Amino acid sequence: MRDAYHEELDSIGEGLVEMARLVGSAIGRATTAMLDSDLKLAETVIAGDQKVDDLQHELEARAIALLARQQPVATDLRIVVTSLRMSADLERSGDLAQHVAKLARLRFPERAVPHDLHATILEMGQLAQRLMAKAAEVIVTKDVDLALQLEQDDDAMDTLHRALFQHLMDDRWKHGIETAVDVTLLGRYYERFADHAVSVANRVVYLVTGEHADELQQDVQPVTGVEGA
């Protein structure tokens, strides 16, 4: 019985990794759809969010069943409760990727992002994908140092977000109010996506140590270039 119980706990972790990989891919593809005005790609991202939602519902059902049947305590209880919270972060990340794709669809065949902001939006999309890839790695490895890095890695997203806003406020802005609103929303979507990746990593810190990430922050160097992102 205990073997089956721990296998079920492991399967919940595997589901979280799958969710993280799905939403990381989704934000990358949504960014491409946005910048290339690719309607077909946008539609695949929008439709694909249902799989993320289904995975979250499945994980919630498993976790609640474990709570009811096994009444876990100590570390096992922390695993179940933290997994529920991580699944919520990842589901919301999928929604944000879907929002990007829906904006691409809304403006098709035009492009929501003016040419002079393409590089910034591309960088934000790539960084969001790398952060989520690192969050997935943290779920697998339970590497606390790597998890703590994400907080500092996220500073790069905040810097890009500020630069985007400054561009919008520049007197030389010539793309109109509608485009300004679109770009503002995009910036917010990427910024929130990155925050959810950090939240997932911070929850792993709590899972492993029983302490919150802000209590354990170390002087680690940000490394945003994750292999395989």
Side-chain angles (χ1 to χ4, degrees), residues 86 135 138 146-148 150 196-206 213:
M86 283 194 284
V138 167
L146 185 64
L148 292 172
L150 264 82
H196 284 297
V198 172
S199 180
V200 168
N202 286 347
R203 295 189 196 285
V204 173
V205 172
Y206 177 72

Side-chain angles (χ1 to χ4, degrees), residues 114-206:
H115 183 74
D116 50 341
L117 284 176
H118 270 219
T120 302
I121 293 297
L122 177 61
E123 189 173 356
M124 293 180 85
Q126 291 174 339
L127 178 56
Q129 189 171 6
R130 290 198 301 269
L131 286 168
M132 191 57 73
K134 185 177 283 189
E137 184 180 353
V138 167
I139 296 171
V140 172
T141 64
K142 305 296 188 294
D143 186 329
V144 171
D145 289 338
L146 185 64
L148 292 172
Q149 264 184 12
L150 264 82
E151 189 76 51
Q152 295 188 31
D153 292 348
D154 183 48
D155 290 345
M157 183 66 81
D158 294 336
T159 298
L160 287 167
H161 193 211
R162 285 193 298 271
L164 194 67
F165 189 73
Q166 289 168 358
H167 194 98
L168 291 169
M169 296 300 293
D170 195 300
D171 290 339
R172 292 169 292 178
W173 176 261
K174 59 182 182 298
H175 303 293
I177 294 174
E178 183 178 83
T179 301
V181 171
D182 288 347
V183 172
T184 299
L185 288 172
L186 279 174
R188 182 60 173 164
Y189 296 154
Y190 289 118
E191 189 264 340
R192 289 299 299 144
F193 187 99
D195 285 347
H196 284 297
V198 172
S199 180
V200 168
N202 286 347
R203 295 189 196 285
V204 173
V205 172
Y206 177 72

Side-chain angles (χ1 to χ4, degrees), residues 14 18 106 204 206 213:
E14 290 166 2
E18 185 178 359
L106 178 66
V204 173
Y206 177 72

Side-chain angles (χ1 to χ4, degrees), residues 4 12 48 63 75 81 115 169:
I12 290 174
T75 300
V81 172
H115 183 74
M169 296 300 293

Side-chain angles (χ1 to χ4, degrees), residues 5 66-68 70-74 76-77 80:
Y5 169 54
L66 278 179
L67 289 171
Q70 301 291 340
Q71 298 181 352
V73 296
D76 287 350
L77 178 61
V80 176

